[in-house]
Amino acid sequence: MASPEKKPVSVVTIVIDLVLTAVAFSIFYWLVNSHVPSNDPKMVMFFGASAAACMSGVFWLAWQMLKVVFTFQRDTRK
């Protein structure tokens, strides 16, 4: 009988991923906000949040790929 595999996704990992992505979003928003070429605060907020959302999506994808590669390398050492 094959050994049971570990569950790759748990509530704790989802919460950690969401918290890290929220932190990345807030950092990106803080950095991008000053580079929006507008004087209207609503437009600055909208385009700053749009750019930060795109960058947070890329961060989330990169974080997921890093976790998968780390797990694969750890499992192949055994």
Side-chain angles (χ1 to χ4, degrees):
M1 184 174 216
S3 63
E5 291 187 29
K6 279 180 38 176
K7 198 173 176 184
V9 179
S10 69
V11 176
V12 175
T13 58
I14 292 173
V15 169
I16 290 171
D17 293 346
L18 288 175
V19 167
L20 285 174
T21 305
V23 169
F25 177 84
S26 59
I27 291 171
F28 292 144
Y29 181 75
W30 178 70
L31 289 172
V32 169
N33 224 11
S34 63
H35 296 285
V36 176
S38 177
N39 291 329
D40 185 13
K42 289 184 181 181
M43 287 294 117
V44 171
M45 187 181 302
F46 174 73
F47 287 109
S50 298
C54 291
M55 289 190 279
S56 296
V58 173
F59 170 81
W60 183 81
L61 285 172
W63 178 247
Q64 299 305 312
M65 289 189 297
L66 180 71
K67 287 186 349 182
V68 168
V69 169
F70 177 73
T71 303
F72 176 75
Q73 287 181 347
R74 187 186 60 205
D75 291 345
T76 55
R77 286 186 196 156
K78 293 180 181 179

